[in-house]
Amino acid sequence: MIAKFRGQNLTFAIVQDLGAAIVTGTYSSDKPFPIEADLCKHYGASRSVLREAVKMLTAKGLLRARPRQGTWVEPEESWSLLDPDVLRWILERKFSLPLLAEFTEIRLAVEPLAAQLAAARATPAEKAAIKVAIERMYAAERGRMIP
């Protein structure tokens, strides 16, 4: 087993490692996904652990697996871009201005209504905490710290 995976669930660790490798281009339609036996050996994992990791990556839209036929990397259009892991892996790769613009559009569509609902439903204590947070942001912008 690889040292960096000790102390955490092996299936989760394999998903994280392979997911990041797929999203950053280590594996693609041009660079085939390794066979199960090689991955088991590489991670020191059983076939059932590896198959569970592949199922999780398939659910995220990154892979397509067929028994006795192999596993392929899906095109980016198939990836579940609302999955937090996929989003994190995408942000780990090279900066993309179009992707940043898309995230900004989504935030502009969702956040104003979310803020309105939060303000309408907030208790006085929650509103006071929001006010303190805003004051701290303004202070930080001016280079000051408020405890």
Side-chain angles (χ1 to χ4, degrees):
M1 179 173 8
I2 296 175
K4 73 178 185 174
F5 297 117
R6 291 190 183 138
Q8 58 178 297
N9 179 290
L10 183 57
T11 303
F12 175 79
I14 293 170
V15 168
Q16 297 304 307
D17 193 54
L18 290 176
I22 292 166
V23 171
T24 58
T26 301
Y27 306 118
S28 66
S29 58
D30 299 331
K31 301 172 191 168
F33 195 74
I35 63 171
E36 185 178 89
D38 291 344
L39 289 171
C40 287
K41 186 175 181 179
H42 176 76
Y43 291 108
S46 68
R47 291 172 67 172
S48 61
V49 167
L50 189 72
R51 286 178 181 168
E52 182 63 26
V54 168
K55 283 181 189 177
M56 293 169 74
L57 291 167
T58 300
K60 295 174 184 298
L62 274 63
L63 294 175
R64 179 173 35 114
R66 298 281 185 255
R68 299 188 194 346
Q69 293 180 7
T71 304
W72 299 271
V73 175
E74 288 283 77
E76 192 168 336
E77 297 79 39
S78 300
W79 298 352
S80 177
L81 297 180
L82 296 179
D83 182 286
D85 289 329
V86 176
L87 284 174
R88 183 171 33 80
W89 296 326
I90 287 173
L91 293 173
E92 287 175 4
R93 68 185 186 187
K94 187 177 176 185
F95 177 77
S96 166
L97 194 55
L99 180 63
L100 182 61
E102 287 180 27
F103 282 146
T104 302
E105 288 174 356
I106 291 170
R107 288 184 65 189
L108 289 171
V110 173
E111 288 179 6
L113 180 59
Q116 179 185 5
L117 290 171
R121 295 185 171 119
T123 65
E126 290 168 333
K127 288 179 182 178
I130 292 170
K131 184 177 179 184
V132 168
I134 291 170
E135 289 170 358
R136 291 182 70 203
M137 285 190 290
Y138 282 129
E141 185 178 36
R142 291 187 294 275
R144 297 192 336 244
M145 292 292 293
I146 296 177

